[in-house]
Each structure stands twice: as C-alpha cells, then as structure tokens.
Amino acid sequence: DTGVSQDPRHKITKRGQNVTFRCDPISEHNRLYWYRQTLGQGPEFLTYFQNEAQLEKSRLLSDRFSAERPKGSFSTLEIQRTEQGDSAMYLCASSLDEGEAFFGQGTRLTVV
Amino acid sequence: DAKTTQPTSMDCAEGRAANLPCNHSTISGNEYVYWYRQIHSQGPQYIIHGLKNNETNEMASLIITEDRKSSTLILPHATLRDTAVYYCIVRVATGTASKLTFGTGTRLQVTL
C-alpha cells in the first residue's frame, strides 16, 4: 500500500500521560498536514510541513502539542499531559506541492 | 478561504444520481472548489476539483455555475458504498499552505 500510513490506529491513554503518533506520507510528497476531528465535525487544521520545515501552526495547537518532521519524510505528533478534551481523531495528509491532499486512516485517541 | 454552505443531510436511492449542492457566494477569482468525502471511520478522500469549467472524472462530475457562486457534485449512479459525509471546500491552490478548511458537510445516505 503506497498511501498515507498512520500508527497507531487507536490509542487509549490516561489523563496526564504523553502520547506520540506517527505519520508516513506518500513517498514523493513534500507537504505534510495534521488535522484533528471531533465527533460530528469536519477535520480542523493543526499544522503543516513543507519538507522538514514547519511553516504554519493553528491556534488549536497549544503548547502541549508538538510536531516534527526531522528528515522531511515521516512526521510525529506528540501531546504532552493529555486532557480529556484531546480525545479526537488525528488525521495526517500529504500532497505534492499544491496538489490534492491524500489522507491517512487516522489515529483515534481516547483519554480516560 | 471562502465559506461554503451545504445541506446537512440528503437521501438518494441506489442507482439514481446523487446531486449535492454547495453555495460559495463569496468565492474569489483565484479560489478552486474542492470536494472530499469521508466514509465512516476513515480519512477524507479526494473526489474532484475545479475552477470555473465543469469537470468529470471516474468518480463524479462537478458543475460550477457561471458566476461561480455555487456548484453541484454529481454521483451519476449512487451505490451503498457512496454513503458518506461530503465536504465542499474552496481554497486558493497556489502560493499558500494548501490547507483545507472543512465545514460540517452533507451526510449522504444511499438506500436500497
């Protein structure tokens, strides 16, 4: 499968714990995006990378959230000191320049 | 990016055409109309996009009015697998981060 891959698909964590998600984009895609989606809502933009550079961050991305794309390939999204309000689906997408974005299956986070 | 307005939900009989409307009355001249869909528990899937001409691909057709203030996505022969939330998005396709601003979309239910 050469699509966008996200790991894990599901994560249950206790409040206050740290979690890290991984996204592997389509190999030739230079742009990578993270979105968050809560129940009944459309995905909301979190942050965007062009190659290894993080070029835009949403106000939704509090200081407990950090994203990296160290070598311009895979990306990680870390949430520190998780809160129940962080429970959501975290979606990763990639694109070649301004072409259409292809999404992964997402990581569903449940904070208990 | 311009805001869009879509009906909350629609029903369509299997085998019939599904016509999903979208209003984007404040669209700018350099903004494209994009359609994505999201099947339950999956990431959004790109369907089609256009600027001002009508477009067709293997999945759907996109009809954009001459004044570009509205558009219609047409699934010519809907099947049960087309049951999903359909998002109409307008965005500038060049010189930006290409992020997508999702609304709440139209929930299309295809029935027997």
Side-chain angles (χ1 to χ4, degrees), chain B residues 52-110:
Chain B
K52 51 185 176 182
N53 297 322
N54 298 337
E55 301 288 343
T56 296
N57 63 20
E58 64 279 3
M59 289 183 68
S61 295
L62 174 60
I63 308 299
I64 303 174
T65 57
E66 193 169 341
D67 63 7
R68 300 206 329 120
K69 293 185 177 182
S70 65
S71 61
T72 301
L73 178 75
I74 300 172
L75 308 178
H77 305 286
T79 71
L80 296 178
R81 286 177 292 184
D82 293 320
T83 293
V85 178
Y86 288 77
Y87 297 99
C88 170
I89 300 163
V90 295
R91 74 170 179 100
V92 177
T94 60
T96 70
S98 305
K99 67 185 180 188
L100 299 165
T101 302
F102 290 82
T104 51
T106 295
R107 183 171 299 277
L108 176 68
Q109 181 69 52
V110 181

Side-chain angles (χ1 to χ4, degrees), chain A residues 16-95:
Chain A
Q17 297 294 304
N18 300 343
V19 294
T20 300
F21 310 140
R22 177 181 169 118
C23 172
D24 286 272
I26 294 172
S27 60
E28 65 268 24
H29 285 184
N30 54 352
R31 296 191 179 184
L32 187 146
Y33 312 82
W34 285 98
Y35 290 80
R36 181 175 70 185
Q37 185 174 26
T38 53
L39 199 61
Q41 302 298 313
E44 298 171 292
F45 170 78
L46 290 179
T47 190
Y48 146 72
F49 291 85
Q50 175 141 334
N51 300 312
E52 66 276 8
Q54 188 174 17
L55 297 186
E56 186 173 350
K57 293 195 290 186
S58 162
R59 286 171 293 178
L60 294 174
L61 213 65
S62 76
D63 56 5
R64 295 184 298 105
F65 288 69
S66 63
E68 294 183 343
R69 193 183 183 198
K71 296 182 180 179
S73 56
F74 73 92
S75 176
T76 58
L77 177 68
E78 181 183 17
I79 309 175
Q80 296 182 327
R81 305 180 303 281
T82 52
E83 302 173 355
Q84 286 188 320
D86 297 331
S87 295
M89 174 77 85
Y90 290 85
L91 292 159
C92 176
S94 70
S95 70

Side-chain angles (χ1 to χ4, degrees), chain B residues 28-42:
Chain B
S28 300
N30 61 347
E31 287 183 313
Y32 286 70
V33 179
Y34 277 74
W35 284 84
Y36 278 76
R37 74 179 181 183
Q38 189 171 24
I39 295 169
H40 183 63
S41 296
Q42 298 183 21

